[in-house]
Amino acid sequence: MRTRLHVNGEAREVEHEPQETLLSLLRYRLGLTGSKEGCGEGECGACTVFVDGAPVVSCLVLAAQCEGAQVTTIEGLGRGHPDGLHPVQRAFIETGAVQCGFCIPGIIMAAADAIEREPDADRESLRRLVAGNLCRCTGYTKILDAIELARARARSGGPPCSTK
Amino acid sequence: MSQRTLELGFSGHSEERRVEVPPDAPPPWDLRSDLKVAGKPHPRLEARLKVTGAARYTADQRLPGMIFAGAVRSPHAHARVRRLDLSRAKKLPGVLYSEAYPQREVRYAGQAVAALAAESEQVLDDALALVEVDYEVLPHVVRTEDALAEDAPAVAGRRNVRQGRGMRRGSLRRVEEAHARADVVLTREYRTQVQTHTCLEPHGSVARWEGDRLTVWASTQATFAFRQTLARALGISAAQVEVITEHMGGGFGSKFGADAWDVFAARAARATGRPCFFMLDRRAEHLVAGNRPDSIQRCTFSVRRDGKLLGAQVTSHGTAGLGRGAGVLNPAIYAFEATYSDQYDVLTHAGSARAFRAPRHPQGVFALEGMLDELAEAIGMDPLELRRKNDPHPVRQAQYDVGAEAIGWSRRKPSGSSPGPLKRGLGVAAARWAHNARPGTAVRCRIGRDGSVLVANGSQDIGTGTRTILAQIVAEELGLPLAAVEVRLGRTRDPYGHGSGGSVTAPSIAPPARRAAYACRQRLLAAVAAALGCEAESLSLREGRVHGAERELSFAAACGLLPTESIEATATGGPEDMSYPSFTREVAGVQFAEVEVDAELGTVRVVKVVAVQDCGLVANPLLARSQINGGVLQGISYALHEERILDARTGDMLNANLLDYKILGAREVPEIVAIPFSVANGRTSTGMSSLGEPPTVPTAGAVANAVANAIGARVRSLPITPEKVLAAIAEAERTRRASDGEKKKKKKKRIF
Ligand code: FES
Ligand code: FES
């Protein structure tokens, strides 16, 4: 079957199997392999992308459901930001929040959403907002540090975080 | 040889040592070395690639014509395969290759009975469902305790219990003598569970043939071992195979060689002439890709009233499934007068264990550190004091002070005295590790006439930061900024590197990297000296410039003077830069934990962990902290949540996903204070110690001790679940009442 959607701002028309997931469409059909598959069952969050501005685990979304949708993936998150990096991405680099990196695209998507949706969330609430994303390497400590750093910068008049 | 005097040790505790430095090697870094790039907190080189999704992992390979492979796995722990019929599956259009494994018996749930490769993942899924298998279910045993029973079904051979080779250590007679001299002798049983590695990136590979040459993109922590095992399985020479591991999503000990699925992918690719993709799914990850064995540890420990530890005796039984190596490692930290351990593997119908971050250590240390606290309690001594008295390691002695200060140990109250339903407690535990710098890693350094610097090694960066550390070492030696050095890792056509196990990678790769850079530096300076007509000895290389007595020039200009297109040196780690006398023999670490236990619900919340970890000379504090944080994360997860649950009735795993197999998430992670502790050991020319594994060793022990301190009762079994906490509290309550009753009776007797 065929689905038309916007991915990272570009109009795409993609031929795919009826039962194919959005994750599979992104990774296999469009070659956007930044979104990862850690479980394929909606449990790890590595495949998180935005569909019409809301974060979803793309392994549980059917591609066919995305007709006409605006999809943003990790590859498109930094669009329009200085040096092509969303403030959350930049903060992840600076604080050393990345290790093996497999969970990172999903966590960054969740984090970017979190600081936009709840700009005043304290650290405890931030934990809740990224609780759907598992990481086996980092201890989350620096991930939370990075999110806080990005949010602090956004508040103090840094570049806007919105990319949706 | 030249003579050098090094200052070794750590701040506040150092000594001078004279060493002989071979002529072609740089002198070891020590406390006086004024390092500019090495030892500094540089963000990892590939961070940008990873945060933008551009980093390519194994499953991200998209090759033209690629086909997809998967396996049919047994749902039974033990069964005879009566009939295996692939004919319907093979008839499905798009199924391109298959193999059947009509072994007489399957011996664990998840064992593959057939594998297929197909045009697309959708066709593959349909085809796998069409494979017909008729199983005759046989009696199984999946739990360690059950397998110990006299009438348990035999798993392999006649007996399920086997003594591990070299697994009886120490002298039982001497331990018994030590116990006889003790004031307190305690016997307790400690248990730990089976933990699965749960790397976020599953196991697997993508194989592509071009003629008789095979290229494999693999998620492996040992590119060269992977190449070797794969070549052997395929009956080809290793030289025909190139393994590529550009980025990989965690291994933790479970990814050391080519597995059955990798071999299948290579065979399917050869048979069909198309690249083949085979990644495990999450269920298979839990069932067939390794785990940490469980343990039942019977411990008898003794102490003198003044706190001198006397005897430590441990008998352990654990299951590595069908595999071996379920032993634990307990009493190597403290100076007991005598120790004895006796370890048994118990065979069960379950997937084989694999090395798992610090194999044998966390389970052993959990028991050891629990026993220490129980002894301290029995003689009325502060648990930290007991450790200080018996710990011979100078670094750990200093770390106890640092950690105690950071956690606020002076706040610790007697166990069980925390009032109210929310009870706070503090605990401590320690770890030891070996200085695992292993000779044999080779690093090539090349400086181009255009000023480019390339460092290459064929081993992998599994997330630890090897790439960044390599660049730092070479930049330091050449007096360049980090950005001037390009690193190529993860291709077996480059020089040999070890697998990332035993925490060897950074300590083993850094000395040859430095020596290769040193050799290039000498040759560059010689070329510059020749061009300028001065002595090479009068030149130095720092801050991106070559400095001479009269002039200086930029690094790029200096490279322009090279007589050839490039200069290149390859150095192999060996005695010349890896076997100086060392300041300490072992890597030291201590951790402190603070917990809050809800005594009504039994839930445990870890509030804070302080981890003080000997890193040798810290290669990069940012990366070091990450390693420590990650070790602590996995340690807490092990202490409180993780457990592979095999159903005794069906033998299948009940929680083979990421929802029911709980790993620690962002919500539960406590404040982790990671303190990299720098020690100049002088053993190698770069001085860094093993760091990947030791930080996960003491965490569960520290958490368990903190829980016991909070509730005044001890949970001797991991994971520490609410049920176990409540049971321990109830048990302690019963004991207290009984002994109160005794006391009252005695009093009455006296009065009347
Ligand atoms: S892959 Fe989608 S949640 Fe794990
Ligand atoms: S960095 Fe490895 S899983 Fe998060």
Side-chain angles (χ1 to χ4, degrees), chain A residues 36 38 100 127 136 142, chain B residues 50 57 60 282 622 642 669:
Chain A
K36 302 295 178 221
C100 84
R127 289 167 180 270
R136 191 58 159 164
K142 292 207 243 167
Chain B
K50 287 180 173 174
Y57 295 75
D60 299 337
R282 192 45 64 183
L622 213 52
E642 295 181 40
V669 80

Side-chain angles (χ1 to χ4, degrees), chain B residues 595-613:
Chain B
V595 302
E596 183 178 85
V597 185
D598 185 323
E600 282 164 5
L601 297 176
T603 48
V604 175
R605 182 169 75 89
V606 181
V607 178
K608 183 173 181 174
V609 171
V610 172
V612 193
Q613 184 60 48

Side-chain angles (χ1 to χ4, degrees), chain A residues 20-69:
Chain A
E20 203 167 319
T21 63
L22 173 58
L23 177 62
S24 157
L25 178 137
L26 293 169
R27 287 177 53 80
Y28 296 92
R29 309 278 171 190
L30 299 179
L32 294 170
T33 52
S35 311
K36 302 295 178 221
E37 177 164 350
C39 67
E41 302 172 335
E43 293 155 358
C44 74
C47 62
T48 305
V49 301
F50 299 152
V51 173
D52 293 330
V56 298
V57 280
S58 59
C59 68
L60 290 189
V61 175
L62 285 178
Q65 289 171 281
C66 297
E67 177 69 34

